[in-house]
Amino acid sequence: MSCIDVDRVSKSFGERVAINQLSLHIERSERLVLFGPSGCGKTTVLRLLAGLEVPEQGSIRIDDRVVASAGKSLVPPERRDLGMVFQDLALWPHMTVQQNLMFGLNARRVQKREADIRVREMLQRVGLEHRIDAKPHQLSGGEQQRVALARALVSRPSILLMDEPLSSLDEERKRAIASDLLGLQSQFGFTLIYVTHDRSEAGMLASRVCQLRDGRVTDATK
Amino acid sequence: MGRPVKAETIVLWLCVALVAIAGLAPIAAIAIESFRHNGHFSLNYYRELISAARFWPLLGNSVRLALATTAVCGLIGVPAGILFAKSDLRLRSGFMWLLTVPFVLPPYFVALGWARVVARIGQSASDLLFGFDGCVLVLSSVFLPIILLLTFASSSNVDRRLEEAARLVSGWPGVLRRVTLPLSAPGIVFSLVLVFLLAMGELSVPSFLRYPVLPVLSFTQFTASYNFGAATAAAVPLAFIAFVGVFVESAFLRDRDYRFESTGQTLFISLRHWKNPWAVLMTAVCFALVILPLAALFGDAFSPAAMHQAMQRAGASVVRSVMYSAVAATILMALGFLLGHAMRGGQQRILNFLTLALFAIPGTVLSIGLVRLWNTPSTWFIYATPALLILGYTAQYCAVTTRLSLAGLMLIPVSLDEAGRLSGAMWARRLFRISIPLSARTLVCAWLAAYILCLRDVPIALMTAPPGADPLSARILTLMANGAPPMIASLCLIMAIASLIPLAILARVIPSRGMAR
């Protein structure tokens, strides 16, 4: 599993500075929660780690590889060995649950037999094996969250990024999914980086909480 | 070792190269040609053009015609578009599609219809039709749908919540004036500029109604005198005006590109006791602008003898028209989708400007450039084949499919593509497995719109089709000189059917908007 080093990274969107000289070290298999108010740059940090944005200054290192450095993306997102659960979940509406999970395995040329087994195992793990042929709009909100989580993990990434995925759920469902997530993390050992503005979610999931304000880490607690 | 070039970049540059070859190179060829005389740099053609007694009156006529057409279209199209988008008017969808019919037919069809109408009335009506007034009437019915549809689309897209917020403090007139219209202004201004430029470059209607304008001069210099230099010099002001028009439109739209979260529904005004009077008024407008001229045109088209003669004289042109338009529409759909994809990725401004300028440039100007560029012994395989025609269609109409594709792609959350990237999929896989399946409806709309535009096109068909292989819109125009009126009417009817079938499909494919009280 990976460790991550973010070294004095800055990122602006036009006049607005989203991240300002941010440095962060994340240990292997750690569960880091980035916590802070809206607009403090949490999502930008995740997108920089994923490679969906490029830092203007500073560098990002995953294990021994520099994946991005001052204005350049050196490793594209698809080669960073990470999964992400988006805030809007981003489930492909024209594909079934199975096809949503298969997509990444096919792209990585996993053998069909092996891919089938992995998809079924993962769906079983999140309790959705009976919904394998459903399309996203046929699922409840909680089921969609689980599919998004299963899709992010089915390729067995070493890092999982989660961008406020539980924000639209009620407290009971939040707790159920958070408990699933902790189980999956202890089973697969991935490094979890989780973004939220909800203190209770942070408490449920974190082994360490970093508070962000105005694009900088202002506080870190274990 | 350098970084590998991405497939995405290669495909984008191939698309840009196609647009450059089809559209920019011919315009450049015209510009260069107009400055050359006997192999040397010269301003002779321009001196001759500017000093010619007819140039300034012709330019004045073109501008006057374009301004009057834009004013009439704006005065009818903007209120009608708002009315169709925001009110509970009876049969609004039927009125809208009926008013769209003249735009999907070659422009001279409406002129021909009116000629039949005035022939039954008498000389005084004929005097009115053949000239400025007639041109304004005909071009207004032809271009009205542009303003109508774009006003409809822009005002329908205004976030319902913004209007609801205004509705709490103001009546409907205030909401429309202070919120709906300013937020729809980019679409409305764009449509007005477009109508002005299209009316400026229109060839077939002014030449049929004998109103002298600049595109007719350029066309006759090219076809009758075969004087390339003079034709290109006359074409350059038209190209220049088109570029300036698009530039002004782009400058106006800067910082006014409002994007709204779609709520899926549009707020609407209850007309109450005005419902029937408005419906009667719209029926009268539809009757005057569409039903009367087209009924007169198609009145004697149904006789079996005329139909038989029409198929004998132009049957092959019908097949060619459908074939050329289908091929061009397929290329335009693919090109527009790929360019739309690139524009969504941020390379918007320059591509938008270039494609739009090519759309606004008169077909006569583009065609002269295409002939000038490809009429060489080494490029006969393009010049002497339908490839030249297809290139012309591609350059002229790629703005339409690009904008349609971009609008469709904007509705797909970016995160769906990003999720594909993080799943390890490369660009091509994401394109074929995510973007294209999610854009199926957009692609069908783009194909149908491109097909209709190519089918109805006159100047490019007239000037770039290989000898003996002209499409129907050009064939009818040439047969009009000596063909029997019933046969011409039958040909027009066949052409209309070929255009209206895709329009009917388009009306079914475009989703109807939900209304909320």
Side-chain angles (χ1 to χ4, degrees):
Chain A
M1 296 298 131
S2 299
C3 68
I4 301 166
D5 263 312
V6 177
D7 185 20
R8 283 169 290 167
V9 162
S10 295
K11 176 76 188 172
S12 305
F13 297 99
E15 299 283 296
R16 193 175 68 82
V17 179
I19 297 293
N20 187 9
Q21 295 277 317
L22 178 102
S23 292
L24 198 59
H25 176 79
I26 305 162
E27 290 291 346
R28 281 189 180 85
S29 301
E30 191 177 357
R31 297 192 309 273
L32 175 76
V33 172
L34 293 173
F35 174 77
S38 299
C40 70
K42 310 181 295 282
T43 297
T44 308
V45 175
L46 281 200
R47 293 177 64 81
L48 285 164
L49 293 174
L52 299 172
E53 304 288 351
V54 181
E56 281 147 10
Q57 287 173 28
S59 63
I60 299 171
R61 185 184 284 269
I62 297 178
D63 288 335
D64 295 330
R65 289 190 301 175
V66 178
V67 294
S69 172
K72 279 186 202 156
S73 174
L74 304 172
V75 179
E78 60 269 25
R79 303 228 174 99
R80 291 193 183 187
D81 187 25
L82 42 79
M84 183 162 173
V85 181
F86 290 79
Q87 189 169 16
D88 64 357
L89 304 182
L91 294 176
W92 299 302
H94 59 301
M95 296 184 195
T96 61
V97 168
Q98 183 180 31
Q99 288 165 337
N100 261 281
L101 267 66
M102 273 288 192
F103 183 84
L105 298 174
N106 290 342
R108 294 194 163 100
R109 301 189 192 286
V110 176
Q111 295 257 319
K112 179 151 185 350
R113 208 176 126 77
E114 163 74 8
D116 271 337
I117 294 169
R118 278 215 226 168
V119 166
R120 284 181 189 281
E121 272 177 8
M122 187 51 74
L123 285 177
Q124 203 170 15
R125 186 68 188 76
V126 296
L128 282 177
E129 65 275 30
H130 61 294
R131 305 295 272 150
I132 191 163
D133 292 322
K135 288 204 170 172
H137 69 272
Q138 296 167 321
L139 303 173
S140 68
E143 286 174 331
Q144 288 181 359
Q145 305 276 351
R146 286 168 200 271
V147 174
L149 184 60
R151 185 182 68 180
L153 289 176
V154 75
S155 305
R156 296 183 186 160
S158 53
I159 301 164
L160 178 65
L161 308 174
M162 299 186 82
D163 187 4
E164 304 200 43
L166 308 184
S167 56
S168 61
L169 295 184
D170 58 48
E171 205 58 31
E172 195 181 331
R173 281 189 185 163
K174 250 184 217 180
R175 283 191 184 282
I177 292 180
S179 145
D180 271 358
L181 184 57
L182 290 175
L184 287 163
Q185 202 260 347
S186 67
Q187 182 183 348
F188 295 110
F190 51 81
T191 306
L192 173 67
I193 303 165
Y194 189 100
V195 154
T196 185
H197 62 267
D198 181 333
R199 209 170 279 277
S200 71
E201 275 176 49
M204 277 187 256
L205 291 165
S207 60
R208 178 162 62 118
V209 179
C210 276
Q211 180 143 11
L212 255 72
R213 189 173 288 276
D214 299 329
R216 284 169 181 266
V217 176
T218 56
D219 189 23
T221 50
K222 289 235 178 192
Chain B
M1 234 169 67
R3 292 173 67 189
V5 183
K6 293 179 191 165
E8 185 178 357
T9 313
I10 295 170
V11 172
L12 170 65
W13 280 108
L14 285 175
C15 292
V16 173
L18 179 58
V19 174
I21 290 169
L24 299 181
I27 302 301
I30 287 181
I32 293 166
E33 181 70 20
S34 68
F35 288 109
R36 270 173 40 166
H37 197 253
N38 296 329
H40 299 288
F41 174 81
S42 161
L43 293 173
N44 269 5
Y45 290 124
Y46 287 99
R47 277 198 208 102
E48 280 170 24
L49 184 73
I50 290 168
S51 59
R54 58 190 173 157
F55 173 73
W56 293 108
L58 288 183
L59 183 62
N61 283 355
S62 293
V63 173
R64 214 156 67 94
L65 179 60
L67 282 175
T69 305
T70 310
V72 173
C73 287
L75 286 173
I76 302 174
V78 174
I82 300 266
L83 196 68
F84 294 159
K86 297 283 174 192
S87 81
D88 58 350
L89 178 74
R90 282 182 218 285
L91 302 172
R92 56 187 181 278
S93 170
F95 286 136
M96 196 166 73
W97 289 108
L98 190 59
L99 285 170
T100 306
V101 168
F103 183 67
V104 305
L105 303 173
Y108 63 82
F109 274 30
V110 180
L112 205 54
W114 275 111
R116 298 270 162 91
V117 173
V118 298
R120 285 171 200 168
I121 299 172
Q123 188 58 40
S124 57
S126 183
D127 289 346
L128 264 179
L129 179 69
F130 285 87
F132 177 74
D133 296 337
C135 278
V136 173
L137 171 69
V138 171
L139 291 183
S140 297
S141 14
V142 170
F143 295 132
L144 176 68
I146 295 178
I147 293 180
L148 180 69
L149 292 175
L150 283 172
T151 304
F152 175 84
S154 308
S155 55
S156 300
N157 279 339
V158 172
D159 189 338
R160 183 185 151 193
R161 290 165 299 188
L162 301 178
E163 291 174 318
E164 283 172 341
R167 190 69 184 85
L168 295 177
V169 291
S170 168
W172 264 116
V175 175
L176 289 178
R177 201 178 63 249
R178 302 290 298 278
V179 177
T180 312
L181 274 174
L183 291 176
S184 316
I188 295 172
V189 170
F190 171 63
S191 68
L192 291 169
V193 172
L194 212 55
V195 167
F196 177 83
L197 294 173
L198 291 175
M200 201 56 211
E202 176 53 33
L203 168 75
S204 62
V205 172
S207 63
F208 178 72
L209 295 179
R210 294 175 221 142
Y211 184 67
V213 288
L214 206 51
V216 178
L217 171 71
S218 181
F219 178 71
T220 47
Q221 290 281 15
F222 175 75
T223 51
S225 324
Y226 214 66
N227 185 346
F228 258 119
T232 53
V236 165
L238 291 169
F240 179 73
I241 291 169
F243 272 99
V244 170
V246 173
F247 184 76
V248 168
E249 186 261 351
S250 306
F252 175 82
L253 288 188
R254 193 168 295 167
D255 302 328
R256 285 190 179 86
D257 191 11
Y258 311 116
R259 301 232 165 97
F260 304 108
E261 289 284 323
S262 173
T263 51
Q265 288 186 321
T266 182
L267 206 60
F268 85 118
I269 310 164
S270 175
L271 293 175
R272 293 182 200 158
H273 53 277
W274 286 98
K275 225 182 223 180
N276 288 336
W278 273 111
V280 170
L281 180 68
M282 288 320 301
T283 308
V285 170
C286 288
F287 181 78
L289 295 182
V290 185
I291 298 169
L292 181 63
L294 294 185
L297 175 65
F298 299 136
D300 46 4
F302 296 92
S303 99
M307 203 57 98
H308 178 71
Q309 200 189 0
M311 287 313 288
Q312 247 184 351
R313 304 250 334 238
S317 291
V318 177
V319 177
R320 275 196 294 269
S321 256
V322 171
M323 211 167 64
Y324 296 162
S325 303
V327 171
T330 308
I331 294 170
L332 280 162
M333 177 189 69
L335 181 68
F337 189 75
L338 291 167
L339 286 176
H341 219 263
M343 283 164 78
R344 196 195 183 187
Q347 292 148 52
Q348 194 157 354
R349 196 163 287 169
I350 186 90
L351 278 175
N352 194 30
F353 178 81
L354 285 179
T355 53
L356 208 54
L358 288 174
F359 183 64
I361 278 178
T364 44
V365 177
L366 187 64
S367 303
I368 292 171
L370 281 165
V371 171
R372 184 72 203 104
L373 187 69
W374 297 101
N375 186 7
T376 67
S378 56
T379 53
W380 64 270
F381 62 94
I382 288 183
Y383 177 70
T385 64
L388 193 67
L389 183 75
I390 306 282
L391 277 180
Y393 288 156
T394 305
Q396 184 103 81
Y397 300 121
C398 70
V400 176
T401 51
T402 303
R403 284 207 163 201
L404 278 172
S405 299
L406 183 61
L409 285 164
M410 294 300 245
L411 298 176
I412 303 172
V414 185
S415 57
L416 295 184
D417 186 64
E418 290 175 347
R421 268 194 101 172
L422 292 173
S423 297
M426 305 300 277
W427 176 76
R429 183 183 280 266
R430 297 198 309 273
L431 186 76
F432 284 103
R433 295 289 306 279
I434 298 173
S435 298
I436 291 178
L438 290 175
S439 305
R441 193 187 283 263
T442 304
L443 288 168
V444 172
C445 286
W447 191 92
L448 289 168
Y451 171 82
I452 290 170
L453 287 169
C454 296
L455 198 68
R456 74 180 278 284
D457 180 273
V458 178
I460 298 175
L462 204 58
M463 294 166 78
T464 62
D470 49 355
L472 191 56
S473 59
R475 184 89 182 125
I476 298 173
L477 204 61
T478 45
L479 284 175
M480 267 160 59
N482 54 11
M487 181 199 71
I488 300 296
S490 296
L491 281 173
C492 290
L493 183 66
I494 294 167
M495 177 92 193
I497 291 168
S499 297
L500 292 177
I501 290 172
L503 182 68
I505 300 171
L506 202 58
R508 300 278 305 166
V509 170
I510 292 176
S512 58
R513 250 159 212 290
M515 288 280 196
R517 283 169 195 275

